[in-house]
Amino acid sequence: KQEVTQIPAALSVPEGENLVLNCSFTDSAIYNLQWFRQDPGKGLTSLLLIQSSQREQTSGRLNASLDKSSGRSTLYIAASQPGDSATYLCASDSGNTGKLIFGQGTTLQVKP
Amino acid sequence: EPEVTQTPSHQVTQMGQEVILRCVPISNHLYFYWYRQILGQKVEFLVSFYNNEISEKSEIFDDQFSVERPDGSNFTLKIRSTKLEDSAMYFCASSMNTEAFFGQGTRLTVV
């Protein structure tokens, strides 16, 4: 049974810092790994999708990497801004139905 | 930009009542999902739906839950007799085949 874990649970950084959020999963037989952003009381916004054949994906200041053999993914945020403050969720897709298994999230606070 | 829309945004219901949560997935998507998030907990998978039938469901999705795609555009989740523990944020999602897109959620409060 796939389990997804995110470390740290919370992170507070000053504006401008580069930071890394970690995601680990127990079953390396995944199809995709997807990163989401969730603002308080809101829905999930897809940030990046890494397919199993890919090693990384980039979008603007965000870069996500995937290492299936070690069961890890990282989300790198460059030059963080207060507007990046949110909860970041990773989710793995292990089956052929597209079911996503979520981590508990990392709540990020970027201080001005 | 296409998006998944959910209605209502917030619903309060009495225990034992039936509720229907509504979703309009992105129009050319083929796979549809419901997830829920109890306050302070992980997002949990409920059910996936493809080709007009359930393709997978979780242990949470018992006989009190059902899904329907009645008219080719809407996708609904029905809870027949709500319990206090059904209080949660319910998210609908859709995908073409890889990246999943989520709606803004319906906050269900059972009193």
Side-chain angles (χ1 to χ4, degrees), chain A residues 1-7 21-35 50 52 54-55 65-75 90-94 101 103-104:
Chain A
K1 179 185 174 185
Q2 178 74 283
E3 291 186 8
V4 180
T5 304
Q6 292 185 248
I7 295 173
L21 308 182
N22 296 294
C23 172
S24 61
F25 45 93
T26 54
D27 184 353
S28 62
I30 64 170
Y31 283 70
N32 306 299
L33 194 291
Q34 196 166 353
W35 282 92
I50 311 175
S52 61
Q54 299 172 325
R55 298 281 295 182
S65 66
L66 175 63
D67 183 345
K68 285 179 57 178
S69 60
S70 68
R72 293 175 181 269
S73 177
T74 60
L75 179 68
C90 71
S92 73
D93 167 8
S94 300
I101 304 297
Q104 70 271 45

Side-chain angles (χ1 to χ4, degrees), chain B residues 9-100:
Chain B
S9 57
H10 190 190
Q11 180 151 1
V12 180
T13 189
Q14 289 202 331
M15 191 168 52
Q17 295 296 304
E18 173 183 289
V19 295
I20 297 177
L21 309 183
R22 303 182 189 279
C23 170
V24 179
I26 295 172
S27 62
N28 61 342
H29 283 185
L30 303 175
Y31 299 83
F32 313 107
Y33 309 89
W34 284 99
Y35 292 81
R36 79 172 185 189
Q37 186 177 34
I38 295 171
L39 189 63
Q41 298 187 23
K42 289 186 178 185
V43 176
E44 302 174 286
F45 168 78
L46 293 178
V47 65
S48 59
F49 192 86
Y50 170 73
N51 200 24
N52 287 317
E53 61 182 22
I54 290 174
S55 48
E56 187 172 0
K57 59 184 180 180
S58 73
E59 294 174 351
I60 303 167
F61 195 89
D62 61 19
D63 291 345
Q64 293 300 309
F65 291 87
S66 62
V67 290
E68 197 174 40
R69 190 158 159 79
D71 56 12
S73 61
N74 293 284
F75 181 50
T76 62
L77 174 69
K78 181 193 291 186
I79 309 175
R80 288 188 182 81
S81 178
T82 50
K83 304 170 188 172
L84 295 176
E85 55 264 37
D86 293 328
S87 294
M89 192 77 144
Y90 288 80
F91 294 109
C92 172
S94 69
S95 73
M96 177 60 85
N97 61 355
T98 51
E99 188 172 8

